[in-house]
Amino acid sequence: MSDRFWEHKTLAEMNDQEWESLCDGCARCCMLKLEDEDSGEIAYTSVVCRYLNHQSCKCTRYPERHALVPDCVELDAETASQFTWLPVTCAYRRLAEGNSLDWWHPLVSGSRSTVHDAGISVRGKIVSEHHIHPDEIEEHVITWIET
Ligand code: SF4
Ligand code: SF4
């Protein structure tokens, strides 16, 4: 994948390997979110899915994630127009909206660590849902993620 495929292919034209490589590993989509019933506005919280490894920011149950967590997001090119709830940093949303990838994206930097170095990943900023009562999730709403 030496060519900058994301600059000349549409999301729908990408093969599986290219599609997977777009994920920067930030794990922002593994944060629990609250939706305002009236406005539809999404609020991110610092509470994360129980299956997230807090250090690597990787899913510990990736192959069976959708069976384990019905809300676990499955992104595909057909639903790209609905990516507006994703953080503005997410590569899938950025490309769906015609934007480029930032310097810290692993495909641009050549390193999986720049997403952490740049403070984009959730490392060090999260708490597992294991430790939070469902009624208290609202108390963990955060504003540092732009949607
Ligand atoms: S927010 Fe986007 S780039 Fe970040 S982990 Fe989720 S799918 Fe990957
Ligand atoms: S199952 Fe894995 S990918 Fe899905 S939300 Fe949980 S940690 Fe993230």
Side-chain angles (χ1 to χ4, degrees):
M1 268 190 304
S2 53
D3 76 312
R4 294 168 71 97
F5 66 89
W6 61 93
E7 292 179 343
H8 59 82
K9 282 189 177 185
T10 65
L11 290 172
E13 288 169 342
M14 293 178 190
N15 62 37
D16 289 350
Q17 191 193 3
E18 291 167 339
W19 179 267
E20 286 293 318
S21 71
L22 283 183
C23 180
D24 61 30
C26 70
R28 290 183 175 196
C29 57
C30 301
M31 299 170 108
L32 273 54
K33 295 165 264 312
L34 300 172
E35 182 173 8
D36 184 298
E37 277 180 20
D38 300 321
S39 67
E41 227 170 86
I42 302 285
Y44 275 68
T45 76
S46 57
V47 184
V48 289
C49 173
R50 68 192 65 225
Y51 299 115
L52 188 73
N53 178 305
H54 291 207
Q55 183 58 25
S56 67
C57 295
K58 288 185 178 156
C59 180
T60 57
R61 306 293 292 273
Y62 196 74
E64 67 266 53
R65 67 194 188 284
H66 293 125
L68 291 167
V69 182
D71 283 347
C72 179
V73 62
E74 180 150 27
L75 302 175
D76 58 52
E78 284 74 47
T79 54
S81 61
Q82 297 160 23
F83 291 176
T84 52
W85 61 269
L86 284 165
V88 293
T89 53
C90 176
Y92 298 101
R93 177 171 175 185
R94 291 190 65 78
L95 296 184
E97 294 179 348
N99 296 313
S100 57
L101 300 186
D102 225 326
W103 68 269
W104 45 259
H105 193 285
L107 286 173
V108 179
S109 69
S111 164
R112 298 296 308 175
S113 64
T114 42
V115 69
H116 306 299
D117 301 339
I120 302 298
S121 82
V122 302
R123 184 188 283 171
K125 304 167 189 159
I126 47 176
V127 58
S128 173
E129 64 181 332
H130 261 315
H131 307 300
I132 305 294
H133 189 280
D135 292 346
E136 291 171 1
I137 291 177
E138 225 167 293
E139 294 166 24
H140 296 269
V141 167
I142 48 108
T143 54
W144 56 268
I145 287 188
E146 200 186 329
T147 54

